[in-house]
Amino acid sequence: MQNSEAMALSAALLAVAGELTRRIHDGVVARGFEGVRPAHGFAFARLAPDGATVTELAAHLGVTKQAASQLVDEMVRKGYVERRPHPEDARARLIMLTERGWACARAAEEAAVEAVRPWTELLGEREVRTLQGQLLRIAPHGPVRPSW
């Protein structure tokens, strides 16, 4: 692959990722979840289903523990998460989604369906499934991080 081709592919993937993030966020806000930011969604992805410590969340988001702690404080104030005693570590607190947090996560899933629907209309379901499979081969397990 030539340099210009690699740059074009990189630019296309980044554009799609940015547009997808924006459309999901807009869909969440349209469903009544005010005061959320895309960073909340990236945190929700790590907190569901079993919660996480601030340290684990920081590693997932690629930020410092202090930044993750500030994000958790904000999400607690907004009612999306709560701190609970950690069942295995008395020194740690487990950050868990509240019912409001789960409802917001479900709204994000619905918004994601709407966001990728035009892809199916443009490419067809078979090609979209192929694209999904190819992308999963490239990035099978990596945390989904915001681009700060």
Side-chain angles (χ1 to χ4, degrees):
M1 180 171 270
Q2 300 292 324
N3 288 350
S4 59
E5 293 172 320
M7 286 302 297
L9 175 60
S10 298
L13 288 170
L14 290 169
V16 168
E19 178 67 9
L20 184 60
T21 300
R22 185 193 64 75
R23 292 192 64 198
I24 292 171
H25 178 263
D26 289 351
V28 168
V29 170
R31 286 167 173 80
F33 294 93
E34 296 292 330
V36 293
R37 300 181 287 126
H40 296 128
F42 291 106
F44 286 9
R46 175 60 183 90
L47 297 175
D50 299 321
T53 64
V54 169
T55 301
E56 293 166 338
L57 185 60
H60 173 77
L61 295 174
V63 299
T64 64
K65 282 177 37 177
Q66 292 82 0
S69 184
Q70 289 174 352
L71 182 64
V72 168
D73 289 344
E74 178 185 356
M75 292 187 301
V76 167
R77 278 193 310 274
K78 293 179 179 185
Y80 292 110
V81 302
E82 62 186 3
R83 291 181 176 91
R84 293 184 185 168
H86 196 290
E88 299 167 6
D89 184 351
R91 298 169 298 155
R93 304 285 286 168
L94 198 57
I95 312 305
M96 302 288 295
L97 292 177
T98 61
E99 281 303 315
R100 179 174 167 81
W102 281 109
C104 187
R106 287 188 297 274
E109 289 176 359
E110 294 167 3
V113 169
E114 290 176 3
V116 301
R117 187 173 293 128
W119 302 358
T120 304
E121 293 167 1
L122 179 66
L123 301 174
E125 188 154 340
R126 182 175 174 193
E127 281 194 54
V128 170
R129 289 190 190 281
T130 298
L131 175 63
Q132 178 185 16
Q134 291 170 336
L135 290 173
L136 288 172
R137 286 176 52 204
I138 294 168
H141 310 298
V144 180
R145 293 183 171 151
S147 52
W148 299 104

mmCIF file of all heavy atoms in Angstrom, residues 48-101:
data_model
loop_
_atom_site.group_PDB
_atom_site.id
_atom_site.type_symbol
_atom_site.label_atom_id
_atom_site.label_comp_id
_atom_site.label_asym_id
_atom_site.label_seq_id
_atom_site.Cartn_x
_atom_site.Cartn_y
_atom_site.Cartn_z
ATOM 1 N N ALA A 48 -20.289 -1.461 31.863
ATOM 2 C CA ALA A 48 -21.289 -2.514 31.644
ATOM 3 C C ALA A 48 -20.546 -3.805 31.334
ATOM 4 O O ALA A 48 -19.573 -3.775 30.586
ATOM 5 C CB ALA A 48 -22.214 -2.128 30.493
ATOM 6 N N PRO A 49 -20.909 -4.932 31.853
ATOM 7 C CA PRO A 49 -22.031 -5.175 32.739
ATOM 8 C C PRO A 49 -21.652 -5.252 34.212
ATOM 9 O O PRO A 49 -22.526 -5.170 35.072
ATOM 10 C CB PRO A 49 -22.528 -6.537 32.268
ATOM 11 C CG PRO A 49 -21.280 -7.247 31.880
ATOM 12 C CD PRO A 49 -20.380 -6.172 31.299
ATOM 13 N N ASP A 50 -20.355 -5.409 34.525
ATOM 14 C CA ASP A 50 -19.971 -5.731 35.901
ATOM 15 C C ASP A 50 -19.300 -4.607 36.673
ATOM 16 O O ASP A 50 -18.781 -4.839 37.751
ATOM 17 C CB ASP A 50 -19.034 -6.940 35.891
ATOM 18 C CG ASP A 50 -19.696 -8.177 35.304
ATOM 19 O OD1 ASP A 50 -20.895 -8.384 35.587
ATOM 20 O OD2 ASP A 50 -19.035 -8.907 34.557
ATOM 21 N N GLY A 51 -19.268 -3.405 36.120
ATOM 22 C CA GLY A 51 -18.624 -2.306 36.811
ATOM 23 C C GLY A 51 -17.113 -2.352 36.667
ATOM 24 O O GLY A 51 -16.547 -3.249 36.038
ATOM 25 N N ALA A 52 -16.451 -1.372 37.240
ATOM 26 C CA ALA A 52 -14.994 -1.279 37.184
ATOM 27 C C ALA A 52 -14.530 -0.334 38.277
ATOM 28 O O ALA A 52 -15.299 0.483 38.776
ATOM 29 C CB ALA A 52 -14.543 -0.753 35.820
ATOM 30 N N THR A 53 -13.281 -0.440 38.631
ATOM 31 C CA THR A 53 -12.679 0.517 39.542
ATOM 32 C C THR A 53 -12.254 1.741 38.743
ATOM 33 O O THR A 53 -12.191 1.705 37.507
ATOM 34 C CB THR A 53 -11.443 -0.078 40.245
ATOM 35 O OG1 THR A 53 -10.448 -0.341 39.257
ATOM 36 C CG2 THR A 53 -11.789 -1.342 41.014
ATOM 37 N N VAL A 54 -11.936 2.816 39.428
ATOM 38 C CA VAL A 54 -11.440 4.011 38.748
ATOM 39 C C VAL A 54 -10.146 3.688 38.005
ATOM 40 O O VAL A 54 -9.934 4.151 36.879
ATOM 41 C CB VAL A 54 -11.245 5.174 39.746
ATOM 42 C CG1 VAL A 54 -10.479 6.322 39.112
ATOM 43 C CG2 VAL A 54 -12.584 5.667 40.261
ATOM 44 N N THR A 55 -9.293 2.869 38.600
ATOM 45 C CA THR A 55 -8.042 2.487 37.956
ATOM 46 C C THR A 55 -8.310 1.739 36.657
ATOM 47 O O THR A 55 -7.670 2.012 35.629
ATOM 48 C CB THR A 55 -7.193 1.618 38.909
ATOM 49 O OG1 THR A 55 -6.934 2.374 40.097
ATOM 50 C CG2 THR A 55 -5.891 1.191 38.263
ATOM 51 N N GLU A 56 -9.247 0.800 36.676
ATOM 52 C CA GLU A 56 -9.590 0.054 35.467
ATOM 53 C C GLU A 56 -10.213 0.969 34.413
ATOM 54 O O GLU A 56 -9.931 0.843 33.223
ATOM 55 C CB GLU A 56 -10.546 -1.084 35.806
ATOM 56 C CG GLU A 56 -9.918 -2.171 36.650
ATOM 57 C CD GLU A 56 -10.938 -3.113 37.274
ATOM 58 O OE1 GLU A 56 -12.120 -2.753 37.421
ATOM 59 O OE2 GLU A 56 -10.518 -4.232 37.652
ATOM 60 N N LEU A 57 -11.051 1.882 34.847
ATOM 61 C CA LEU A 57 -11.671 2.822 33.922
ATOM 62 C C LEU A 57 -10.618 3.735 33.299
ATOM 63 O O LEU A 57 -10.653 3.995 32.089
ATOM 64 C CB LEU A 57 -12.748 3.638 34.643
ATOM 65 C CG LEU A 57 -13.566 4.584 33.779
ATOM 66 C CD1 LEU A 57 -14.304 3.823 32.682
ATOM 67 C CD2 LEU A 57 -14.551 5.346 34.650
ATOM 68 N N ALA A 58 -9.679 4.200 34.098
ATOM 69 C CA ALA A 58 -8.602 5.053 33.581
ATOM 70 C C ALA A 58 -7.802 4.325 32.508
ATOM 71 O O ALA A 58 -7.504 4.892 31.449
ATOM 72 C CB ALA A 58 -7.684 5.496 34.723
ATOM 73 N N ALA A 59 -7.481 3.058 32.764
ATOM 74 C CA ALA A 59 -6.735 2.274 31.773
ATOM 75 C C ALA A 59 -7.549 2.106 30.496
ATOM 76 O O ALA A 59 -7.016 2.216 29.385
ATOM 77 C CB ALA A 59 -6.363 0.914 32.360
ATOM 78 N N HIS A 60 -8.826 1.856 30.625
ATOM 79 C CA HIS A 60 -9.704 1.686 29.465
ATOM 80 C C HIS A 60 -9.771 2.958 28.626
ATOM 81 O O HIS A 60 -9.740 2.906 27.395
ATOM 82 C CB HIS A 60 -11.106 1.286 29.934
ATOM 83 C CG HIS A 60 -12.117 1.240 28.849
ATOM 84 N ND1 HIS A 60 -12.198 0.200 27.954
ATOM 85 C CD2 HIS A 60 -13.081 2.125 28.492
ATOM 86 C CE1 HIS A 60 -13.183 0.442 27.097
ATOM 87 N NE2 HIS A 60 -13.735 1.597 27.398
ATOM 88 N N LEU A 61 -9.869 4.102 29.298
ATOM 89 C CA LEU A 61 -10.008 5.373 28.588
ATOM 90 C C LEU A 61 -8.671 5.962 28.148
ATOM 91 O O LEU A 61 -8.642 6.903 27.357
ATOM 92 C CB LEU A 61 -10.742 6.387 29.473
ATOM 93 C CG LEU A 61 -12.189 6.060 29.818
ATOM 94 C CD1 LEU A 61 -12.742 7.071 30.822
ATOM 95 C CD2 LEU A 61 -13.054 6.011 28.567
ATOM 96 N N GLY A 62 -7.573 5.426 28.696
ATOM 97 C CA GLY A 62 -6.259 5.968 28.352
ATOM 98 C C GLY A 62 -6.012 7.324 28.990
ATOM 99 O O GLY A 62 -5.395 8.200 28.384
ATOM 100 N N VAL A 63 -6.513 7.487 30.221
ATOM 101 C CA VAL A 63 -6.345 8.751 30.947
ATOM 102 C C VAL A 63 -5.746 8.455 32.318
ATOM 103 O O VAL A 63 -5.620 7.304 32.718
ATOM 104 C CB VAL A 63 -7.692 9.506 31.101
ATOM 105 C CG1 VAL A 63 -8.284 9.852 29.741
ATOM 106 C CG2 VAL A 63 -8.689 8.705 31.931
ATOM 107 N N THR A 64 -5.414 9.512 33.043
ATOM 108 C CA THR A 64 -4.897 9.337 34.402
ATOM 109 C C THR A 64 -6.025 8.926 35.343
ATOM 110 O O THR A 64 -7.206 9.110 35.037
ATOM 111 C CB THR A 64 -4.290 10.653 34.931
ATOM 112 O OG1 THR A 64 -5.328 11.633 35.036
ATOM 113 C CG2 THR A 64 -3.163 11.153 34.025
ATOM 114 N N LYS A 65 -5.631 8.390 36.501
ATOM 115 C CA LYS A 65 -6.636 8.055 37.517
ATOM 116 C C LYS A 65 -7.386 9.303 37.964
ATOM 117 O O LYS A 65 -8.587 9.248 38.215
ATOM 118 C CB LYS A 65 -5.971 7.376 38.717
ATOM 119 C CG LYS A 65 -5.634 5.923 38.477
ATOM 120 C CD LYS A 65 -4.912 5.243 39.616
ATOM 121 C CE LYS A 65 -5.337 5.635 40.992
ATOM 122 N NZ LYS A 65 -4.645 4.893 42.057
ATOM 123 N N GLN A 66 -6.684 10.431 38.033
ATOM 124 C CA GLN A 66 -7.336 11.673 38.443
ATOM 125 C C GLN A 66 -8.407 12.080 37.435
ATOM 126 O O GLN A 66 -9.511 12.489 37.823
ATOM 127 C CB GLN A 66 -6.305 12.803 38.607
ATOM 128 C CG GLN A 66 -5.351 12.596 39.766
ATOM 129 C CD GLN A 66 -4.175 11.664 39.419
ATOM 130 O OE1 GLN A 66 -4.049 11.153 38.304
ATOM 131 N NE2 GLN A 66 -3.317 11.429 40.402
ATOM 132 N N ALA A 67 -8.100 11.973 36.149
ATOM 133 C CA ALA A 67 -9.081 12.333 35.114
ATOM 134 C C ALA A 67 -10.274 11.384 35.160
ATOM 135 O O ALA A 67 -11.430 11.816 35.045
ATOM 136 C CB ALA A 67 -8.433 12.317 33.734
ATOM 137 N N ALA A 68 -10.008 10.092 35.341
ATOM 138 C CA ALA A 68 -11.099 9.120 35.429
ATOM 139 C C ALA A 68 -11.947 9.386 36.671
ATOM 140 O O ALA A 68 -13.180 9.296 36.620
ATOM 141 C CB ALA A 68 -10.552 7.697 35.449
ATOM 142 N N SER A 69 -11.315 9.740 37.773
ATOM 143 C CA SER A 69 -12.039 10.033 39.004
ATOM 144 C C SER A 69 -12.941 11.255 38.823
ATOM 145 O O SER A 69 -14.087 11.275 39.289
ATOM 146 C CB SER A 69 -11.056 10.261 40.149
ATOM 147 O OG SER A 69 -11.744 10.448 41.357
ATOM 148 N N GLN A 70 -12.452 12.270 38.121
ATOM 149 C CA GLN A 70 -13.265 13.453 37.846
ATOM 150 C C GLN A 70 -14.465 13.096 36.964
ATOM 151 O O GLN A 70 -15.577 13.578 37.186
ATOM 152 C CB GLN A 70 -12.430 14.545 37.189
ATOM 153 C CG GLN A 70 -11.438 15.179 38.128
ATOM 154 C CD GLN A 70 -10.508 16.158 37.425
ATOM 155 O OE1 GLN A 70 -10.495 16.274 36.204
ATOM 156 N NE2 GLN A 70 -9.723 16.877 38.215
ATOM 157 N N LEU A 71 -14.239 12.234 35.978
ATOM 158 C CA LEU A 71 -15.336 11.799 35.117
ATOM 159 C C LEU A 71 -16.370 11.024 35.929
ATOM 160 O O LEU A 71 -17.576 11.230 35.771
ATOM 161 C CB LEU A 71 -14.809 10.938 33.965
ATOM 162 C CG LEU A 71 -15.848 10.460 32.957
ATOM 163 C CD1 LEU A 71 -16.471 11.631 32.205
ATOM 164 C CD2 LEU A 71 -15.218 9.474 31.977
ATOM 165 N N VAL A 72 -15.902 10.153 36.820
ATOM 166 C CA VAL A 72 -16.818 9.396 37.678
ATOM 167 C C VAL A 72 -17.604 10.352 38.571
ATOM 168 O O VAL A 72 -18.833 10.207 38.714
ATOM 169 C CB VAL A 72 -16.060 8.338 38.508
ATOM 170 C CG1 VAL A 72 -16.955 7.754 39.603
ATOM 171 C CG2 VAL A 72 -15.536 7.231 37.603
ATOM 172 N N ASP A 73 -16.934 11.334 39.169
ATOM 173 C CA ASP A 73 -17.641 12.317 40.007
ATOM 174 C C ASP A 73 -18.764 12.986 39.215
ATOM 175 O O ASP A 73 -19.882 13.142 39.714
ATOM 176 C CB ASP A 73 -16.681 13.396 40.521
ATOM 177 C CG ASP A 73 -15.714 12.897 41.581
ATOM 178 O OD1 ASP A 73 -15.959 11.814 42.158
ATOM 179 O OD2 ASP A 73 -14.709 13.599 41.820
ATOM 180 N N GLU A 74 -18.466 13.364 37.990
ATOM 181 C CA GLU A 74 -19.463 14.011 37.135
ATOM 182 C C GLU A 74 -20.631 13.065 36.844
ATOM 183 O O GLU A 74 -21.805 13.453 36.919
ATOM 184 C CB GLU A 74 -18.803 14.454 35.827
ATOM 185 C CG GLU A 74 -19.746 15.101 34.849
ATOM 186 C CD GLU A 74 -19.090 15.423 33.514
ATOM 187 O OE1 GLU A 74 -17.862 15.218 33.353
ATOM 188 O OE2 GLU A 74 -19.820 15.870 32.619
ATOM 189 N N MET A 75 -20.323 11.809 36.525
ATOM 190 C CA MET A 75 -21.381 10.843 36.212
ATOM 191 C C MET A 75 -22.214 10.513 37.446
ATOM 192 O O MET A 75 -23.419 10.269 37.326
ATOM 193 C CB MET A 75 -20.782 9.579 35.575
ATOM 194 C CG MET A 75 -20.211 9.830 34.191
ATOM 195 S SD MET A 75 -19.684 8.320 33.314
ATOM 196 C CE MET A 75 -18.474 7.637 34.412
ATOM 197 N N VAL A 76 -21.600 10.513 38.618
ATOM 198 C CA VAL A 76 -22.351 10.297 39.862
ATOM 199 C C VAL A 76 -23.319 11.456 40.073
ATOM 200 O O VAL A 76 -24.503 11.245 40.367
ATOM 201 C CB VAL A 76 -21.400 10.139 41.074
ATOM 202 C CG1 VAL A 76 -22.163 10.247 42.389
ATOM 203 C CG2 VAL A 76 -20.656 8.808 41.000
ATOM 204 N N ARG A 77 -22.821 12.695 39.918
ATOM 205 C CA ARG A 77 -23.680 13.882 40.096
ATOM 206 C C ARG A 77 -24.875 13.849 39.146
ATOM 207 O O ARG A 77 -25.966 14.280 39.501
ATOM 208 C CB ARG A 77 -22.882 15.162 39.853
ATOM 209 C CG ARG A 77 -22.061 15.634 41.010
ATOM 210 C CD ARG A 77 -21.540 17.046 40.822
ATOM 211 N NE ARG A 77 -20.880 17.285 39.547
ATOM 212 C CZ ARG A 77 -19.594 17.038 39.298
ATOM 213 N NH1 ARG A 77 -18.825 16.541 40.244
ATOM 214 N NH2 ARG A 77 -19.077 17.299 38.116
ATOM 215 N N LYS A 78 -24.672 13.330 37.949
ATOM 216 C CA LYS A 78 -25.737 13.299 36.940
ATOM 217 C C LYS A 78 -26.623 12.059 37.065
ATOM 218 O O LYS A 78 -27.587 11.917 36.325
ATOM 219 C CB LYS A 78 -25.127 13.390 35.544
ATOM 220 C CG LYS A 78 -24.490 14.749 35.308
ATOM 221 C CD LYS A 78 -23.857 14.864 33.956
ATOM 222 C CE LYS A 78 -23.267 16.272 33.807
ATOM 223 N NZ LYS A 78 -22.732 16.508 32.495
ATOM 224 N N GLY A 79 -26.277 11.172 38.004
ATOM 225 C CA GLY A 79 -27.121 10.015 38.272
ATOM 226 C C GLY A 79 -26.910 8.825 37.350
ATOM 227 O O GLY A 79 -27.728 7.906 37.345
ATOM 228 N N TYR A 80 -25.803 8.779 36.616
ATOM 229 C CA TYR A 80 -25.556 7.689 35.675
ATOM 230 C C TYR A 80 -24.802 6.511 36.301
ATOM 231 O O TYR A 80 -24.915 5.383 35.825
ATOM 232 C CB TYR A 80 -24.790 8.193 34.456
ATOM 233 C CG TYR A 80 -25.611 9.124 33.604
ATOM 234 C CD1 TYR A 80 -25.314 10.476 33.531
ATOM 235 C CD2 TYR A 80 -26.701 8.659 32.879
ATOM 236 C CE1 TYR A 80 -26.075 11.336 32.761
ATOM 237 C CE2 TYR A 80 -27.468 9.506 32.104
ATOM 238 C CZ TYR A 80 -27.153 10.842 32.051
ATOM 239 O OH TYR A 80 -27.921 11.690 31.286
ATOM 240 N N VAL A 81 -24.022 6.781 37.333
ATOM 241 C CA VAL A 81 -23.271 5.719 38.002
ATOM 242 C C VAL A 81 -23.322 5.929 39.506
ATOM 243 O O VAL A 81 -23.685 7.004 39.990
ATOM 244 C CB VAL A 81 -21.783 5.662 37.538
ATOM 245 C CG1 VAL A 81 -21.669 5.447 36.044
ATOM 246 C CG2 VAL A 81 -21.013 6.895 37.978
ATOM 247 N N GLU A 82 -22.938 4.883 40.228
ATOM 248 C CA GLU A 82 -22.812 4.977 41.682
ATOM 249 C C GLU A 82 -21.576 4.208 42.107
ATOM 250 O O GLU A 82 -21.122 3.298 41.401
ATOM 251 C CB GLU A 82 -24.053 4.424 42.368
ATOM 252 C CG GLU A 82 -24.314 2.958 42.104
ATOM 253 C CD GLU A 82 -25.636 2.479 42.693
ATOM 254 O OE1 GLU A 82 -26.388 3.288 43.256
ATOM 255 O OE2 GLU A 82 -25.907 1.276 42.568
ATOM 256 N N ARG A 83 -21.038 4.608 43.243
ATOM 257 C CA ARG A 83 -19.897 3.912 43.826
ATOM 258 C C ARG A 83 -20.427 2.900 44.838
ATOM 259 O O ARG A 83 -21.273 3.227 45.663
ATOM 260 C CB ARG A 83 -18.971 4.896 44.522
ATOM 261 C CG ARG A 83 -18.237 5.811 43.587
ATOM 262 C CD ARG A 83 -17.322 6.745 44.394
ATOM 263 N NE ARG A 83 -16.519 7.577 43.543
ATOM 264 C CZ ARG A 83 -16.873 8.794 43.122
ATOM 265 N NH1 ARG A 83 -18.031 9.310 43.499
ATOM 266 N NH2 ARG A 83 -16.073 9.488 42.355
ATOM 267 N N ARG A 84 -19.895 1.690 44.764
ATOM 268 C CA ARG A 84 -20.274 0.630 45.705
ATOM 269 C C ARG A 84 -19.003 0.025 46.285
ATOM 270 O O ARG A 84 -17.942 0.081 45.662
ATOM 271 C CB ARG A 84 -21.043 -0.482 44.982
ATOM 272 C CG ARG A 84 -22.381 -0.063 44.458
ATOM 273 C CD ARG A 84 -23.090 -1.245 43.853
ATOM 274 N NE ARG A 84 -24.345 -0.862 43.219
ATOM 275 C CZ ARG A 84 -25.029 -1.649 42.427
ATOM 276 N NH1 ARG A 84 -24.610 -2.883 42.154
ATOM 277 N NH2 ARG A 84 -26.159 -1.228 41.891
ATOM 278 N N PRO A 85 -19.116 -0.598 47.451
ATOM 279 C CA PRO A 85 -17.948 -1.320 47.974
ATOM 280 C C PRO A 85 -17.542 -2.417 46.989
ATOM 281 O O PRO A 85 -18.394 -3.078 46.392
ATOM 282 C CB PRO A 85 -18.458 -1.917 49.286
ATOM 283 C CG PRO A 85 -19.658 -1.109 49.646
ATOM 284 C CD PRO A 85 -20.265 -0.643 48.353
ATOM 285 N N HIS A 86 -16.249 -2.590 46.828
ATOM 286 C CA HIS A 86 -15.745 -3.643 45.946
ATOM 287 C C HIS A 86 -15.861 -4.972 46.685
ATOM 288 O O HIS A 86 -15.433 -5.093 47.831
ATOM 289 C CB HIS A 86 -14.292 -3.373 45.566
ATOM 290 C CG HIS A 86 -13.817 -4.172 44.404
ATOM 291 N ND1 HIS A 86 -13.615 -5.523 44.465
ATOM 292 C CD2 HIS A 86 -13.520 -3.797 43.142
ATOM 293 C CE1 HIS A 86 -13.191 -5.955 43.298
ATOM 294 N NE2 HIS A 86 -13.136 -4.928 42.466
ATOM 295 N N PRO A 87 -16.448 -5.986 46.053
ATOM 296 C CA PRO A 87 -16.661 -7.254 46.757
ATOM 297 C C PRO A 87 -15.376 -8.013 47.086
ATOM 298 O O PRO A 87 -15.389 -8.863 47.968
ATOM 299 C CB PRO A 87 -17.534 -8.061 45.786
ATOM 300 C CG PRO A 87 -17.287 -7.467 44.452
ATOM 301 C CD PRO A 87 -16.972 -6.014 44.689
ATOM 302 N N GLU A 88 -14.271 -7.681 46.418
ATOM 303 C CA GLU A 88 -13.032 -8.433 46.634
ATOM 304 C C GLU A 88 -11.887 -7.593 47.188
ATOM 305 O O GLU A 88 -10.844 -8.134 47.525
ATOM 306 C CB GLU A 88 -12.592 -9.079 45.316
ATOM 307 C CG GLU A 88 -13.615 -10.065 44.773
ATOM 308 C CD GLU A 88 -13.333 -10.459 43.335
ATOM 309 O OE1 GLU A 88 -12.286 -10.067 42.782
ATOM 310 O OE2 GLU A 88 -14.181 -11.166 42.758
ATOM 311 N N ASP A 89 -12.061 -6.272 47.237
ATOM 312 C CA ASP A 89 -10.982 -5.387 47.674
ATOM 313 C C ASP A 89 -11.584 -4.277 48.534
ATOM 314 O O ASP A 89 -12.208 -3.350 48.026
ATOM 315 C CB ASP A 89 -10.265 -4.803 46.456
ATOM 316 C CG ASP A 89 -9.070 -3.938 46.824
ATOM 317 O OD1 ASP A 89 -8.873 -3.628 48.019
ATOM 318 O OD2 ASP A 89 -8.328 -3.552 45.896
ATOM 319 N N ALA A 90 -11.372 -4.366 49.839
ATOM 320 C CA ALA A 90 -11.973 -3.405 50.770
ATOM 321 C C ALA A 90 -11.471 -1.982 50.533
ATOM 322 O O ALA A 90 -12.130 -1.021 50.918
ATOM 323 C CB ALA A 90 -11.689 -3.825 52.210
ATOM 324 N N ARG A 91 -10.300 -1.833 49.905
ATOM 325 C CA ARG A 91 -9.760 -0.494 49.652
ATOM 326 C C ARG A 91 -10.353 0.157 48.416
ATOM 327 O O ARG A 91 -10.269 1.366 48.247
ATOM 328 C CB ARG A 91 -8.239 -0.571 49.484
ATOM 329 C CG ARG A 91 -7.511 -1.086 50.724
ATOM 330 C CD ARG A 91 -6.076 -1.403 50.418
ATOM 331 N NE ARG A 91 -6.052 -2.476 49.402
ATOM 332 C CZ ARG A 91 -5.070 -2.698 48.557
ATOM 333 N NH1 ARG A 91 -4.010 -1.948 48.571
ATOM 334 N NH2 ARG A 91 -5.131 -3.685 47.684
ATOM 335 N N ALA A 92 -10.936 -0.635 47.534
ATOM 336 C CA ALA A 92 -11.417 -0.116 46.249
ATOM 337 C C ALA A 92 -12.928 0.090 46.263
ATOM 338 O O ALA A 92 -13.642 -0.509 47.057
ATOM 339 C CB ALA A 92 -11.036 -1.082 45.134
ATOM 340 N N ARG A 93 -13.370 0.939 45.365
ATOM 341 C CA ARG A 93 -14.798 1.152 45.143
ATOM 342 C C ARG A 93 -15.099 0.695 43.719
ATOM 343 O O ARG A 93 -14.320 0.913 42.803
ATOM 344 C CB ARG A 93 -15.161 2.630 45.288
ATOM 345 C CG ARG A 93 -14.767 3.244 46.624
ATOM 346 C CD ARG A 93 -15.647 2.826 47.735
ATOM 347 N NE ARG A 93 -16.927 3.525 47.603
ATOM 348 C CZ ARG A 93 -17.993 3.223 48.286
ATOM 349 N NH1 ARG A 93 -17.976 2.259 49.169
ATOM 350 N NH2 ARG A 93 -19.116 3.876 48.120
ATOM 351 N N LEU A 94 -16.242 0.051 43.564
ATOM 352 C CA LEU A 94 -16.672 -0.412 42.253
ATOM 353 C C LEU A 94 -17.639 0.618 41.690
ATOM 354 O O LEU A 94 -18.596 1.006 42.367
ATOM 355 C CB LEU A 94 -17.354 -1.778 42.393
ATOM 356 C CG LEU A 94 -17.504 -2.624 41.147
ATOM 357 C CD1 LEU A 94 -16.168 -2.904 40.488
ATOM 358 C CD2 LEU A 94 -18.194 -3.934 41.505
ATOM 359 N N ILE A 95 -17.391 1.061 40.477
ATOM 360 C CA ILE A 95 -18.256 2.024 39.816
ATOM 361 C C ILE A 95 -19.246 1.232 38.969
ATOM 362 O O ILE A 95 -18.847 0.452 38.101
ATOM 363 C CB ILE A 95 -17.454 2.992 38.913
ATOM 364 C CG1 ILE A 95 -16.237 3.565 39.646
ATOM 365 C CG2 ILE A 95 -18.364 4.086 38.348
ATOM 366 C CD1 ILE A 95 -16.524 4.244 40.941
ATOM 367 N N MET A 96 -20.532 1.427 39.238
ATOM 368 C CA MET A 96 -21.590 0.660 38.570
ATOM 369 C C MET A 96 -22.584 1.615 37.915
ATOM 370 O O MET A 96 -22.867 2.689 38.441
ATOM 371 C CB MET A 96 -22.354 -0.192 39.599
ATOM 372 C CG MET A 96 -21.497 -1.163 40.391
ATOM 373 S SD MET A 96 -20.928 -2.561 39.430
ATOM 374 C CE MET A 96 -22.473 -3.369 39.055
ATOM 375 N N LEU A 97 -23.145 1.188 36.791
ATOM 376 C CA LEU A 97 -24.213 1.954 36.160
ATOM 377 C C LEU A 97 -25.466 1.892 37.030
ATOM 378 O O LEU A 97 -25.788 0.845 37.585
ATOM 379 C CB LEU A 97 -24.541 1.395 34.771
ATOM 380 C CG LEU A 97 -23.483 1.543 33.696
ATOM 381 C CD1 LEU A 97 -23.948 0.856 32.410
ATOM 382 C CD2 LEU A 97 -23.160 2.996 33.426
ATOM 383 N N THR A 98 -26.163 3.013 37.128
ATOM 384 C CA THR A 98 -27.465 3.060 37.797
ATOM 385 C C THR A 98 -28.532 2.715 36.754
ATOM 386 O O THR A 98 -28.231 2.513 35.573
ATOM 387 C CB THR A 98 -27.740 4.472 38.327
ATOM 388 O OG1 THR A 98 -27.765 5.371 37.215
ATOM 389 C CG2 THR A 98 -26.697 4.909 39.347
ATOM 390 N N GLU A 99 -29.772 2.683 37.184
ATOM 391 C CA GLU A 99 -30.855 2.457 36.217
ATOM 392 C C GLU A 99 -30.831 3.522 35.129
ATOM 393 O O GLU A 99 -31.029 3.222 33.954
ATOM 394 C CB GLU A 99 -32.215 2.437 36.931
ATOM 395 C CG GLU A 99 -32.501 1.125 37.624
ATOM 396 C CD GLU A 99 -32.451 -0.070 36.678
ATOM 397 O OE1 GLU A 99 -33.018 -0.002 35.561
ATOM 398 O OE2 GLU A 99 -31.824 -1.076 37.051
ATOM 399 N N ARG A 100 -30.579 4.765 35.529
ATOM 400 C CA ARG A 100 -30.468 5.855 34.539
ATOM 401 C C ARG A 100 -29.298 5.593 33.591
ATOM 402 O O ARG A 100 -29.396 5.847 32.389
ATOM 403 C CB ARG A 100 -30.310 7.193 35.262
ATOM 404 C CG ARG A 100 -30.165 8.389 34.356
ATOM 405 C CD ARG A 100 -30.158 9.680 35.198
ATOM 406 N NE ARG A 100 -29.734 10.833 34.461
ATOM 407 C CZ ARG A 100 -30.510 11.529 33.644
ATOM 408 N NH1 ARG A 100 -31.759 11.171 33.463
ATOM 409 N NH2 ARG A 100 -30.042 12.594 33.011
ATOM 410 N N GLY A 101 -28.196 5.100 34.119
ATOM 411 C CA GLY A 101 -27.042 4.771 33.277
ATOM 412 C C GLY A 101 -27.354 3.665 32.287
ATOM 413 O O GLY A 101 -26.980 3.733 31.113
#
